[in-house]
Amino acid sequence: MLIMTDVLVLGAGYAGLRACKQLAKSKLDLNITLVNKNSYNYDATALETVAAGATAPENIMMDIADVTSNKVHFIQDEVEVINRNQNSVVLKNSKQELKYDYLFNALGFEPETFGTPGADEYALQISNIDNAVADYETVVKHLETYQKTGNKDYLSMVVVGGGLTSAELLGELVHQIPKWARKYGFDKADFQLTCIGPNLLSMFDEKQRAYAQRYLEKHGVKFILGQNVKSVSDTGVIYGDNNHNLPARTVFWTAGVSGSHVIEKSGYPEHRDRVAVNDDMTSPTNANEYIIGDVAAVKDQSTGRFYPPTGQIAIQEANIAVANLKAKLTHSKPVPFTYRSLGTVCSLGPTTGIAYDLLGFPIKLTGILVPTIKNLIFKRSAFELSGLKAALQR
């Protein structure tokens, strides 16, 4: 009698879907189960376009049933807790307990507000389709309120943070403001868009950072750098050592992310809900658990620092994790994780951006080609996740 190995994959983001695809192709005798909160996958790198109203949500979504193998059994539910000593996962809605021989934990990320008062309650966050859609609905509501009342506080918007998501959101917003001005009847100069954070795009060199800042300033963004937001309310933010008050009805929080809260709840050794994994992508405490994607902290051996979580690295982590499960089951030598970057790309709206280290070469680009390159990288990632249909969808 053939004995099948039960493999449970948690999360259908970049890492989870790639793991499912590679497991289904592995020719191993596996029962593969995928658990995800929603029935769809989405391009997390494009959520800011939905939040700004530049893209319809369906344009960045894919039905899981359409992009997974029939060898994968899909369960739509949330994970309540992982009972790691019992090799089981309890689901939140159905209360079902799923047993596994091997676990691929790819639970994804959540916004991190660092305990800032009011941030969770009043700030708009960009971490999934639902809140990105709700963000844009809030923006529209505030613009409509301005149109009815003439209260210019509703034309004041703050973006908290200075990383890739912050800059890309700013780029989308400045592209939308002229359209909003025509529709809701205000002068573009009356719209105040402010970015507050410790720095801007620190992963880029000085020349490219300066280009991004100049471009955004030219299109109306005011930067307050070297400062932190201390609190958020429904009328604005308090920032800086002198507790400056900046009135704003719309505040986007893009200042950081952490891994899923299920990580801490399930007793993993973690920092900000990310687990420092072994070089074969296994948990440091449980050899039958592979931790990949936004809940994994992978060290760059050349610098001693952890790689930032990205879609690119998540796909490569999934590849190595599946390869090492196959090595384990076939008594072969495991493969250590090495990362080959396709480049770091920041689009500043649909017409310009900055990029470096494209395809592993020391190439730096600035200007109109960058958004196209970002889309090509997405299409390659989509193909690796789910094949040609997914790559052609967007």
Side-chain angles (χ1 to χ4, degrees), residues 91-111:
L91 302 184
K92 181 176 181 179
N93 299 319
S94 66
K95 305 303 179 184
Q96 183 179 0
E97 183 175 14
L98 303 176
K99 290 286 195 177
Y100 61 83
D101 298 309
Y102 292 94
L103 180 71
F104 282 71
N105 187 334
L107 280 173
F109 71 91
E110 297 175 0

Side-chain angles (χ1 to χ4, degrees), residues 13 22 25 84 93 98 174 212 229 316 337 362:
Q22 296 300 90
K25 289 171 54 181
R84 301 165 64 230
N93 299 319
L98 303 176
V174 300
V229 168
Q316 294 181 42
F337 178 81

